[in-house]
């Protein structure tokens, strides 16, 4: 049984704590929580009946023997700093998306974990949505043939009340906008399906939200395999969430997974049909109860399996860095008004800076 400590007791921590405290993650349990806000830490500790702390050092001193994994659930701008603080304790690290706000910080995180002989896992739970898994299986089986275009759409509602929950939300230094926060999972899925990106051209606006960063943006991608891609993302959908979706088009097939959490198959068509296609359409066309979907549970089970059996992680630090580099390239394009070719050195991107 691996003990998991939560560093950060904000909005997303509720999802992690619920799973770990209800016995849903076989082989893992919640052992303690920490937040610099004592009221939050105490609330979590009492709710889930585990020790609670207001500093990492005090938590590690008291619970070091019980902790095998630290899940870093702090504001995005603190992920790198917290990872570098946790790494010397030689505990495996799970870090929520995005893993960092700059490539330099991402590289420091990867190096620190390698140096201390620990594993770094980046949360990309949508990869474990069952429809997404089926899409990946079809892709790997070659059912699409030549890829033509891949698109993701994030049409969610985040009003000003959401951004006012915490002062760091919607800031360049600590959060980023819809591309970095809400759409990062979908951008990861697009790259995972379509392959490495050659170049990107992006535009953004701040339409309805009172924030520093963008609440609406679009990007056009050119993939190294010659296919094109489109990213459409907004938190200015009103009055409620509309969709979080991905579409993959190829010479032999088309698939669209929609719903509001990339969890509902809308289209599953291939030139050559298989007997299993009917079951896929019928079985995986149900939307989950909330925007998080079902992926966090499968994600944790994968992490536990990777650690216990020393298997390669689906999303380690290097894999998590890929979508971060694309997001930073999108911001670089927005600032320069030019197409940005990856690999590049960001010069005008505001993400991760005051």
């Amino acid at each position: 049984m691996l003990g998991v400590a939560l560093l950060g007791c904000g909005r997303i921590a509720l999802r992690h704590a619920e799973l770990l405290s209800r016995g849903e993650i076989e082989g893992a349990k919640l052992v303690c929580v920490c937040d610099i806000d004592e009221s939050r830490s105490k609330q979590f500790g009492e709710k889930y009946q585990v020790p609670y702390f207001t500093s990492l050092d005090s938590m590690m001193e008291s619970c070091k023997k019980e902790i095998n994994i630290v899940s870093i659930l702090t504001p995005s701008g603190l992920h790198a700093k917290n990872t570098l603080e946790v790494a010397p304790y030689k505990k495996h690290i799970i870090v929520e998306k995005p893993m960092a706000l700059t490539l330099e910080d991402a590289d420091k995180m990867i190096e620190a974990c390698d140096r201390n002989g620990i594993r770094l896992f980046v949360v990309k739970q949508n990869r474990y949505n069952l429809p997404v898994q089926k899409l990946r299986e079809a892709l790997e089986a070659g059912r699409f043939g030549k890829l033509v275009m891949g698109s993701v759409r994030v049409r969610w509602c985040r009003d000003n009340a959401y951004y006012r929950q915490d002062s760091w939300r919607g800031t360049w230094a600590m959060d980023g906008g819809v591309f970095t926060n809400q759409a990062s999972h979908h951008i990861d899925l697009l790259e995972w399906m379509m392959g490495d990106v050659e170049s990107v051209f992006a535009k953004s606006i701040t339409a309805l939200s009172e924030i520093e960063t963008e609440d609406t943006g679009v990007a056009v991608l050119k993939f190294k395999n010659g296919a094109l891609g489109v990213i459409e993302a907004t938190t200015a959908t009103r009055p409620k969430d509309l969709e979080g979706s991905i579409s993959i088009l190829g010479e032999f097939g088309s698939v669209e997974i929609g719903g509001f959490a990339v969890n509902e198959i809308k289209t599953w068509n291939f030139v050559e049909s298989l007997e299993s296609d009917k079951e896929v359409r019928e079985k995986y066309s149900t939307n989950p109860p909330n925007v998080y979907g079902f992926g966090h549970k499968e994600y944790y089970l994968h992490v536990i399996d990777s650690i216990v059996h020393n298997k390669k992680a689906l999303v380690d630090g290097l894999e998590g860095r890929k979508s971060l580099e694309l997001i930073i390239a999108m911001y670089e394009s927005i600032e320069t008004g030019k197409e940005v070719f990856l690999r590049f050195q960001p010069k005008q991107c505001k993400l991760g800076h005051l």
Side-chain angles (χ1 to χ4, degrees):
M1 182 65 70
L2 300 182
V4 181
L6 303 186
L7 184 61
C9 297
R11 191 170 185 258
I12 192 62
L14 285 168
R15 181 66 175 159
H16 291 254
E18 287 291 328
L19 290 170
L20 291 164
S21 63
R22 292 195 307 233
E24 291 192 36
I25 310 301
E26 184 177 352
K29 65 177 181 179
L30 182 66
V31 294
C32 55
V33 298
C34 178
D35 196 291
I36 57 173
D37 184 329
E38 186 173 5
S39 62
R40 282 186 174 183
S41 183
K42 181 180 180 181
Q43 182 181 16
F44 264 69
E46 292 178 346
K47 181 176 181 179
Y48 300 108
Q49 298 182 321
V50 294
Y52 59 90
F53 303 88
T54 56
S55 76
L56 173 66
D57 290 338
S58 60
M59 180 174 73
M60 300 308 293
E61 288 173 10
S62 299
C63 302
K64 188 174 183 179
K65 291 183 179 179
E66 289 77 34
I67 297 172
N68 302 102
I69 304 167
V70 177
S71 286
I72 297 176
L73 313 175
T74 51
S76 301
L78 294 177
H79 289 174
K81 176 178 180 290
N82 294 150
T83 297
L84 298 182
E85 292 169 343
V86 171
Y89 288 104
K90 301 189 184 302
K91 305 297 182 181
H92 301 299
I93 295 173
I94 292 173
V95 61
E96 262 289 354
K97 56 78 187 171
M99 65 181 293
L101 297 184
T102 69
L103 294 176
E104 181 182 7
D105 279 346
D107 291 337
K108 288 179 181 178
M109 294 164 69
I110 295 167
E111 193 276 330
C113 291
D114 287 346
R115 185 174 67 249
N116 285 282
I118 56 175
R119 306 284 295 275
L120 175 61
F121 302 90
V122 182
V123 178
K124 299 290 184 184
Q125 82 275 1
N126 284 350
R127 289 196 184 196
Y128 295 90
N129 292 355
L130 290 175
V132 172
Q133 288 281 309
K134 289 299 177 183
L135 169 57
R136 180 68 183 184
E137 288 173 13
L139 191 68
E140 292 179 343
R143 296 192 68 190
F144 286 92
K146 180 181 178 180
L147 292 174
V148 177
M149 184 164 67
S151 305
V152 290
R153 293 175 300 282
V154 182
R155 297 169 173 175
W156 285 352
C157 176
R158 298 291 184 271
D159 58 17
N160 284 317
Y162 163 84
Y163 288 107
R164 292 187 191 118
Q165 288 177 1
D166 295 288
S167 60
W168 56 269
R169 293 186 185 277
T171 64
W172 286 116
M174 296 294 289
D175 188 23
V178 64
F179 284 145
T180 316
N181 194 325
Q182 289 78 17
S184 62
H185 288 301
H186 307 78
I187 293 168
D188 169 71
L189 289 183
L190 188 62
E191 273 195 291
W192 192 38
M193 299 300 173
M194 299 295 292
D196 291 338
V197 174
E198 180 179 303
S199 68
V200 60
F201 183 80
K203 289 283 188 180
S204 71
I205 58 173
T206 307
L208 300 180
S209 306
E210 297 171 2
I211 55 176
E212 292 179 2
T213 57
E214 85 289 349
D215 65 7
T216 301
V218 293
V220 177
L221 313 178
K222 176 74 178 293
F223 293 96
K224 289 188 176 180
N225 58 18
L228 297 179
V230 177
I231 296 169
E232 174 197 324
T234 184
T235 55
T237 305
R238 298 293 185 267
K240 59 183 180 179
D241 292 342
L242 182 60
E243 69 171 312
S245 62
I246 182 170
S247 301
I248 303 296
L249 309 180
E251 62 177 324
F252 301 134
S254 304
V255 170
E256 179 185 2
I257 304 174
F260 50 73
V262 205
N263 235 315
E264 182 182 353
I265 287 181
K266 298 285 191 179
T267 302
W268 186 271
N269 294 327
F270 291 95
V271 173
E272 294 187 10
S273 298
L274 301 178
E275 289 185 14
S276 59
D277 287 343
K278 185 174 184 291
E279 180 187 4
V280 170
R281 291 190 196 98
E282 293 175 352
K283 190 174 182 181
Y284 303 114
S285 61
T286 303
N287 219 9
N290 59 57
V291 74
Y292 295 124
F294 303 114
H296 275 96
K297 178 179 178 179
E298 294 303 320
Y299 176 82
Y300 262 106
L301 291 172
H302 167 75
V303 168
I304 302 307
D305 185 52
S306 297
I307 292 173
V308 172
H309 298 104
N310 196 29
K311 294 181 179 179
K312 176 176 172 55
L314 184 60
V315 189
D316 58 12
L318 289 172
E319 186 71 9
R321 187 188 187 279
K322 287 183 180 179
S323 57
L324 175 63
E325 182 178 18
L326 175 54
I327 290 168
I328 290 174
M330 289 159 63
Y331 283 128
E332 187 77 6
S333 176
I334 289 166
E335 292 301 320
T336 62
K338 298 178 181 178
E339 181 180 15
V340 173
F341 288 80
L342 287 71
R343 309 289 185 246
F344 75 109
Q345 187 67 36
K347 295 179 180 179
Q348 296 188 45
C349 172
K350 295 179 181 178
L351 189 63
H353 303 285
L354 293 174

